[in-house]
Amino acid sequence: MEKNKAKLSRRQFLKGTAATGAMVGTMGAVGFANKAIADEVVSGESGSAPELKTVRTTCSPNCTGACGLNAIVENNEIKAIVQAADYPEQEYNPRGCLKGLSMMNLVYGPDRLQTPLIQKGKPGVDELQKATWEEALDYTAQRLKEIAAKYGPESIGVAFQVGGTSYVHKGAMSRLATLAGWNIHHAYDQNGDLPMFWPMTFGVQSEELEPSEWLNARYMAVFGSNILATRLPDAHFLVEARNKGTKVIVFDPSYSPTAAKADEYIAINGSSDAAVALGICKVILEEGLYDQNFISTFTDMPLLVRLDNGKRLKADEVEGLTKPTDTPTYREAFVAYNGNFLTVHSERLDLPENLLLEGEVEVPLKSGERVIAKPVFQLLKESLNHYTPEAVEKESGMKPDDLVRIAREMATIKPLHIVYGASNYQWYHGDLKGRALALINVLTGNIGQPGAGISTYAGQYRIRLKVGEWWVPEGRKQNWLPFLYVLNGPTENMKAKYPKDGIKALITGWGNPFDQHNMSNILRERVQSGELEFVANIDFQMTTSCEYSHVVLPGVTWYEKTDLTASPVHPYLQLQQPAITPVYEGRPELWIFRELAKRLNPEFEKYFFPGLEPDQAAEEVIKLLLKTGGPNCAGITLEQLKQGPVRLKSEVPGDRQIPFYEQVHGKRPFPPQSLPAKLEQTAQFVKSGRIEFYKDEDAFIEAGEQLPVHKPPFEESEYALNPAAREKYTFNFVTRNAIYRVHSTHSNNIWMNELQEGKAHIWLNPTDAEEKGIKQGDEVEVYNDRGKLLVYAVVDAGVGRKVAMFEQGWWSRYLKETSYNSLTYPFIKPTHEVYFVPGMWAPNTAWNECLCDVKKVGDQL
Ligand SMILES: Nc1nc2c(c(=O)[nH]1)N[C@H]1C(S)=C(S)[C@@H](COP(=O)(O)OP(=O)(O)OC[C@H]3O[C@@H](n4cnc5c(=O)[nH]c(N)nc54)[C@H](O)[C@@H]3O)O[C@H]1N2
Ligand SMILES: Nc1nc2c(c(=O)[nH]1)N[C@H]1C(S)=C(S)[C@@H](COP(=O)(O)OP(=O)(O)OC[C@H]3O[C@@H](n4cnc5c(=O)[nH]c(N)nc54)[C@H](O)[C@@H]3O)O[C@H]1N2
Ligand code: SF4
Ligand SMILES: [Mo]
């Protein structure tokens, strides 16, 4: 654990820090540029100097970075944080950003929680009172027992944010929730990070190329992903790829920092990406630029669809065909045609080559009826007829000549990598946009090859190991409830089980829902009215959510505990190792849950390694996870991880992370497994065992979304909710992620705030600002019927027309106690309710599907 011990005088140490700080500029202003420099500095003179040690850990906020960092520790205090730069593959070195390197500002900052706190008055109004751990834990257990007795344990909701950064401690929360029968709210859909086109089209939760694969792409089309700000330690791969000759093109309503690094920037209207993608696909089909062999083998394009009911033709319906007996219960056998009707086996990609893709056939059914059917490809071709370059221009603003030229480029310059950013799928029709974008890759065979594919990079949500042995005690079942239902109430079509009295208590950790969840103001009101009877929040600092809690339990940062991290956006398995003992009275979360568990039921304690210190217990959990985690971590040991990061295993040569490589190269059915779900849970999403563009479940047919189509924003959301919004609220409230924060974490980091004048801003287009009489620096109210936000104007020609761009994450205290998530609304799209597999197919939040107006503070309406 302690990789490096040396002596250094304080004077020498500070000198070293200052010198390297100046040298590395913004990337390392707080400390050393990399471990080599750190080593040089710490190997100084001997004598009476204090002892320094270097501890390697992993920066673990809800960021895409997962950067390996070294803490330089003196007398149990972190003096500096430096990039570890110890990845075996040099292209990943170094990783880190100024937020991670200035984490001491939070570890030792003024907002650090010192003791447990109990609210004896009104949450959000009265001061929380200091309490001992005994008092806080006893009180929490007592309230939870009372609420469970009154409303049932399922009325208690648990939210713990992205799993990939904390297999041990977040797992402990899941373990306790499962034992107690509480409901768990999956973070992925609540965050709006679940790109629903993935399960719909590929049957997986989501997938992405590892960043070094960008270097293998020759064409990289970025649709609304701000890599330069939201994938800071990986952004250099984009720049290097471009330097090597990869064309980089950015589609975004606003000129983002990433657009500034591209070869070409195309300004498009908000949520018009599906129109653009389908326009591109039309050109690809018309000019014969598609890969016929690929689509016949790996997709549903040859499957026949009945014109009378819009459903795919099943083998069992057709005279002379039968569903193969070895078809799994969660799959279906469909039909293709090559002069004869052929049964399409869901588990075998073995159809002959000369399949009918265009035209129609008459099908004799077992019932004696005859129906007309067309292949999916034919139906697609017909539906694409609407997307002429001129029609696309009308929807998106993209010039027809550009569309045709770019379509040809995308179809012919291979490998093609499309990056579909989170902000872009955080719209009501984000699923349709993703299905349309994926169609470009699939038609051109850009799937499962080095440098090729479509990727969605959100936070570190996805689980890369089998976690069941730790997260779910043997013989128990988890209860899940998507958070959108907590806000919205139950819906007619929901598949998740809604508790009879709703959610009456919340236990949250690793998140700040009272700023970050939509309708955060409603959540606040529910606590204050008593509708939400009890909230316990575990954090290491005093966030807005702490202010609205009944009990605050001080957890610890990743510098104060042992944990394991492995996320989808990073190819390495890494440890968090304690650099210091917990600050003040903070306690590792596993300890907190063990203490709570034994108070809830003495039987529960045995599930949490009683008798072991938290770090010892965490190591036992890690050993268990490595043993039972499945092929991705096979053979990896704790001892190995203590030496440094270890690349996760995969079936791709070199353990590379290339989605669907095994499907395409081994002709295996779709989908591959999405952990932690069982294969049959997600395989039901693509019943044909192929990449599916035609969805025939009733909700898709009712919505007219069997095939990917473009639908304009707001029609089924804001305008359906309030028709007056069409005239009243003409600005689109877009909430992108900030380079200065990780969501709301670092809201209070003084160094980061200095870079933003300590103020929250709203970005407006100059024409819009002028029309509203708003000038640079003016205080502005951004508002709609649901809420308001007070911020300062930045007038910026790069911002799209009628966009009010806010960088999400600010604590209310920096917004004059307004809440930016008081404007957003938890819309639920019916096609997201066709199945329910937690965090895989569930209603996804659409932050950007939000309208507002802006006015200068002081102006009358
Ligand atoms: N520094 C930092 N990095 C982070 C995070 C952080 O908070 N801070 N958070 C992490 C997490 S959890 C996430 S989910 C990711 C999110 O990271 P990204 O996917 O990059 O998302 P955003 O930064 O929200 O927005 C990116 C861009 O989408 C554009 N956009 C919005 N709507 C549309 C549209 O309809 N079409 C198109 N083409 N573009 C559109 C916006 O104008 C913006 O430029 O970042 C991760 N990385
Ligand atoms: N309007 C709008 N809202 C959004 C978004 C948007 O684009 N627009 N983005 C959404 C997205 S993509 C996401 S991912 C969410 C993120 O929202 P949240 O998940 O709420 O993330 P943070 O705001 O970073 O809050 C994390 C909290 O956990 C604490 N913490 C960090 N590490 C630890 C630890 O080890 N132990 C404990 N106990 N606490 C810890 C931090 O101090 C911090 O207060 O926000 C969502 N909200
Ligand atoms: S905040 Fe994100 S990018 Fe910065 S050091 Fe931490 S993990 Fe890396
Ligand atoms: Mo996210």
Side-chain angles (χ1 to χ4, degrees), residues 59-61 63-67 69 96-97 99-101 232-233 460 742 746:
C59 190
S60 290
C63 168
T64 40
C67 301
L69 299 179
C97 79
K99 299 182 287 297
L101 300 184
L232 268 178
Q460 300 179 51
V742 184
H746 296 283

Side-chain angles (χ1 to χ4, degrees), residues 62 161 193 510 512 516 539 541 561 589 735 744-745 821:
N62 186 8
Q161 273 303 340
D193 285 346
W510 293 272
N512 178 17
Q516 294 302 103
D539 207 305
Q541 50 181 348
K561 66 187 166 205
E589 290 76 5
T735 43
S744 72
T745 309
N821 260 327

Side-chain angles (χ1 to χ4, degrees), residues 419-460:
V419 181
Y420 180 36
S423 235
N424 197 355
Y425 53 82
Q426 289 164 348
W427 286 80
Y428 190 78
H429 294 305
D431 51 353
L432 287 172
K433 296 198 276 181
R435 289 170 70 196
L437 288 167
L439 188 59
I440 303 175
N441 282 86
V442 172
L443 285 175
T444 53
N446 275 299
I447 296 284
Q449 308 290 356
I454 172 163
S455 299
T456 47
Y457 301 103
Q460 300 179 51

Side-chain angles (χ1 to χ4, degrees), residues 208-245:
E208 45 281 291
L209 282 181
E210 70 170 272
S212 64
E213 278 300 322
W214 300 354
L215 300 173
N216 292 327
R218 287 200 57 225
Y219 204 94
M220 198 150 154
V222 180
F223 288 82
S225 177
N226 194 4
I227 291 165
L228 268 283
T230 58
R231 291 188 61 74
L232 268 178
D234 293 315
H236 68 92
F237 288 110
L238 179 107
V239 176
E240 283 157 22
R242 192 174 161 242
N243 289 345
K244 267 180 57 185

Side-chain angles (χ1 to χ4, degrees), residues 570-802:
H570 195 289
Y572 286 94
L573 188 60
Q574 305 181 83
L575 281 188
Q576 284 170 27
Q577 311 192 84
I580 51 170
T581 54
V583 173
Y584 301 118
E585 289 184 32
R587 293 285 180 275
E589 290 76 5
L590 190 150
W591 180 90
I592 299 176
F593 296 122
R594 184 167 69 193
E595 291 295 316
L596 210 47
K598 75 180 186 208
R599 285 168 172 78
L600 288 165
N601 181 341
E603 283 295 300
F604 290 171
E605 192 185 3
K606 65 171 183 281
Y607 291 93
F608 297 88
F609 297 96
L612 290 189
E613 287 298 315
D615 288 316
Q616 283 176 315
E619 290 206 357
E620 291 308 311
V621 177
I622 292 173
K623 285 184 206 157
L624 175 76
L625 284 165
L626 292 175
K627 201 168 105 202
T628 58
N632 290 358
C633 62
I636 302 176
T637 64
L638 177 60
E639 285 315 307
Q640 237 181 321
L641 289 170
K642 285 185 178 178
Q643 300 309 310
V646 182
R647 186 175 258 279
L648 286 152
K649 315 278 179 220
S650 88
E651 290 192 49
V652 184
D655 290 322
R656 311 295 295 165
Q657 209 177 300
I658 302 174
F660 314 119
Y661 186 93
E662 307 91 296
Q663 273 59 39
V664 171
H665 293 265
K667 281 209 181 173
R668 289 203 214 153
F670 283 80
Q673 191 177 4
S674 274
L675 292 171
K678 293 199 175 71
L679 184 62
E680 55 263 38
Q681 288 180 290
T682 47
Q684 63 173 330
F685 304 154
V686 286
K687 292 200 165 49
S688 66
R690 285 150 172 82
I691 303 169
E692 289 187 354
F693 286 97
Y694 192 89
K695 307 306 291 180
D696 64 1
E697 290 89 346
D698 292 340
F700 286 94
I701 295 179
E702 278 158 30
E705 297 180 10
Q706 299 95 315
L707 287 163
V709 290
H710 163 72
K711 287 187 168 182
F714 312 122
E715 296 291 340
E716 292 169 43
S717 53
E718 290 282 31
Y719 302 152
L721 194 68
N722 173 19
R726 201 181 289 271
E727 271 77 46
K728 207 165 158 199
Y729 297 116
T730 54
F731 279 78
N732 181 194
F733 186 51
V734 175
T735 43
R736 72 176 172 201
N737 293 6
I739 199 168
Y740 307 108
R741 284 182 302 287
V742 184
H743 307 289
S744 72
T745 309
H746 296 283
S747 272
N748 53 336
N749 185 332
I750 47 167
W751 292 21
M752 305 316 296
N753 286 353
E754 206 176 309
L755 299 170
Q756 309 165 78
E757 309 167 314
K759 281 180 190 164
H761 297 106
I762 193 87
W763 278 258
L764 296 170
N765 181 281
T767 312
D768 293 332
E770 197 182 336
E771 278 173 19
K772 291 282 179 184
I774 295 171
K775 289 199 221 42
Q776 177 85 13
D778 279 351
E779 192 177 2
V780 172
E781 184 177 321
V782 185
Y783 65 97
N784 61 21
D785 288 341
R786 297 182 286 264
K788 73 168 184 186
L789 166 68
L790 289 173
V791 276
Y792 295 88
V794 177
V795 180
D796 177 353
V799 175
R801 284 299 311 276
K802 292 288 179 184

Side-chain angles (χ1 to χ4, degrees), residues 212-326:
S212 64
E213 278 300 322
W214 300 354
L215 300 173
N216 292 327
R218 287 200 57 225
Y219 204 94
M220 198 150 154
V222 180
F223 288 82
S225 177
N226 194 4
I227 291 165
L228 268 283
T230 58
R231 291 188 61 74
L232 268 178
D234 293 315
H236 68 92
F237 288 110
L238 179 107
V239 176
E240 283 157 22
R242 192 174 161 242
N243 289 345
K244 267 180 57 185
T246 304
K247 173 157 181 180
V248 177
I249 180 165
V250 170
F251 297 79
D252 200 304
S254 297
Y255 188 68
S256 66
T258 309
K261 291 282 177 212
D263 293 288
E264 196 169 349
Y265 164 60
I266 306 284
I268 58 170
N269 297 335
S271 213
S272 67
D273 305 68
V276 171
L278 295 172
I280 288 171
C281 291
K282 179 175 160 65
V283 175
I284 291 173
L285 289 201
E286 272 172 0
E287 303 194 2
L289 299 174
Y290 57 96
D291 184 336
Q292 183 157 344
N293 194 19
F294 185 89
I295 61 170
S296 300
T297 310
F298 297 105
T299 80
D300 64 351
M301 295 294 166
L303 304 196
L304 295 177
V305 175
R306 293 173 59 151
L307 295 194
D308 59 338
N309 62 8
K311 299 270 181 184
R312 289 172 292 180
L313 190 64
K314 294 180 188 164
D316 257 350
E317 296 176 293
V318 178
E319 205 179 277
L321 299 186
T322 48
K323 181 169 164 179
T325 50
D326 57 349

